[in-house]
């Protein structure tokens, strides 16, 4: 019968430290995800601002309807502001800029709140789980 070696207390401590390090690494990965997700509303707002500049040019052209059709996909929810063609195009674009900024600001606030909640929950879960594992290792 072969002898089975039992892990030493030092080996258990290194295992527990490694596990706790992984718990915090998970939190770091969540933070890394937040770095990529948080700027999305700003990037969308910048792209929409550029599209609204192009809408203004299209509405002042000789064929405004054709220009709007070409930009419809990029306008997304702003497209409804230009159907039917507005009488005062400058005022319509300015009004849509304000509305678009408000919508994307609300989206940015929602993303920020979800990220903060996600980081807090994952941090708490990792801390509790790590403490439980270290507590089991001491018994």
């Amino acid at each position: 019968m072969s002898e089975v070696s039992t892990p030493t207390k030092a080996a258990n401590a290194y295992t527990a430290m490694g596990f706790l390090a992984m718990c915090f690494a998970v939190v770091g990965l969540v933070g890394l995800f937040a770095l990529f997700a948080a700027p999305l509303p700003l990037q969308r707002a910048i792209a929409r601002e550029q599209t609204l500049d192009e809408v203004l040019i299209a509405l002042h052209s000789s064929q405004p309807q054709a220009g709007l059709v070409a930009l419809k996909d990029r306008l997304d929810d702003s497209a409804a502001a230009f159907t039917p063609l507005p009488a005062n195009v400058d005022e319509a674009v300015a009004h849509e800029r304000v509305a678009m900024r408000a919508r994307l600001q609300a989206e940015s606030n929602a993303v920020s709140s979800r990220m903060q909640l996600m980081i807090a929950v994952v941090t708490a879960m990792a801390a509790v789980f790590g403490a439980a594992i270290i507590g089991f290792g001491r018994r």
Side-chain angles (χ1 to χ4, degrees):
M1 180 174 199
S2 69
E3 193 174 306
V4 177
S5 65
T6 60
T8 64
K9 285 191 175 201
N12 283 341
Y14 289 129
T15 302
M17 285 189 294
F19 180 78
L20 190 57
M22 288 309 299
C23 289
F24 285 103
V26 168
V27 174
L29 290 173
V30 170
L32 184 64
F33 173 72
L35 288 174
F36 288 103
L40 289 178
L42 174 62
Q43 292 170 354
R44 289 183 59 219
I46 291 170
R48 187 69 56 85
E49 286 279 350
Q50 181 181 6
T51 304
L52 287 173
D53 289 341
E54 293 174 24
V55 164
L56 198 54
I57 292 168
L59 290 176
H60 284 293
S61 71
S62 61
Q63 300 212 342
Q65 191 64 41
L68 280 179
V69 169
L71 295 169
K72 185 173 180 162
D73 288 340
R74 291 177 42 208
L75 280 170
D76 196 31
D77 54 354
S78 294
F82 305 108
T83 306
L85 286 176
N88 185 342
V89 295
D90 295 325
E91 184 179 312
V93 170
H95 183 274
E96 182 52 29
R97 281 185 201 277
V98 171
M100 176 270 305
R101 289 176 185 150
R103 286 190 307 268
L104 290 173
Q105 179 63 45
E107 180 183 331
S108 178
N109 292 342
V111 167
S112 176
S113 295
R114 286 191 302 265
M115 287 296 165
Q116 291 168 356
L117 177 64
M118 182 175 66
I119 291 170
V121 168
V122 170
T123 301
M125 286 174 26
V128 168
F129 197 54
I133 292 299
I134 289 178
F136 289 139
R138 290 186 180 172
R139 290 184 186 182

